[in-house]
Amino acid sequence: PPPPPSNDRRQRQMCIRDRIKEHAIRDPAAENKRNFLYKGRIRSVLATREQISEINKGSIGIVYLSGSYHLMPADKIGAIRQFAPDHVPDLSGAEHADEEENPVPDDLIW
C-alpha cells in the first residue's frame, strides 16, 4: 500500500500495523533481550541468539508501534522509515567525537 500522508497520525499507525502484521518476525523461543537506545532511553526487545546476530549485522531491524517493539526484515523497514522515521530506532550506535580523545580499549571487558 502507498504510504499515508505524513500529517495523519492515525493513518500512519494503521499502515505500520498492516506492515507489521504482514512482515513481523516472531519466534516463541525468543528469550534474550537486545537493548537499544530509542528516544533517549534504553529499550529492549526479545529475540533469539540468531536474531540478535542478524540485528547486529543489519539484516533485521526494529519498528515501534503502540508501546511495543517488533522485529522485521531490514528491507521492509525501509518503507516505514520513509513515511514514519520516528517509529524506527537507529540501531547503528552513536559515534561520539570525544571518543577519539579518550578511546575505549578494544580488550575492555564489562
Side-chain angles (χ1 to χ4, degrees):
S6 60
N7 58 352
D8 188 351
R9 186 175 65 90
R10 185 175 297 150
Q11 284 292 98
R12 286 189 325 161
Q13 288 187 337
M14 286 176 45
C15 189
I16 293 170
R17 186 174 295 113
D18 291 343
R19 290 173 191 218
I20 287 172
K21 283 181 184 178
E22 187 175 344
H23 302 291
I25 301 169
R26 294 180 185 88
D27 190 331
E31 58 185 31
N32 300 298
K33 282 188 176 182
R34 168 49 160 91
N35 295 321
F36 56 94
L37 190 63
Y38 180 61
K39 295 190 176 187
R41 297 184 65 198
I42 296 174
R43 315 293 176 138
S44 62
V45 65
L46 288 178
T48 64
R49 290 189 185 274
E50 293 80 18
Q51 288 172 333
I52 290 174
S53 176
E54 294 298 315
I55 291 168
N56 293 339
K57 290 179 190 174
S59 58
I60 293 179
I62 299 171
V63 175
Y64 169 78
L65 181 66
S66 303
S68 297
Y69 300 96
H70 306 273
L71 299 178
M72 290 180 61
D75 59 337
K76 304 300 180 188
I77 290 177
I80 294 172
R81 186 177 280 123
Q82 289 179 0
F83 67 87
D86 55 321
H87 285 263
V88 182
D90 179 15
L91 302 176
S92 64
E95 294 294 326
H96 299 287
D98 61 347
E99 190 174 303
E100 292 176 11
E101 293 177 19
N102 302 307
V104 176
D106 292 333
D107 62 343
L108 181 64
I109 299 174
W110 294 96

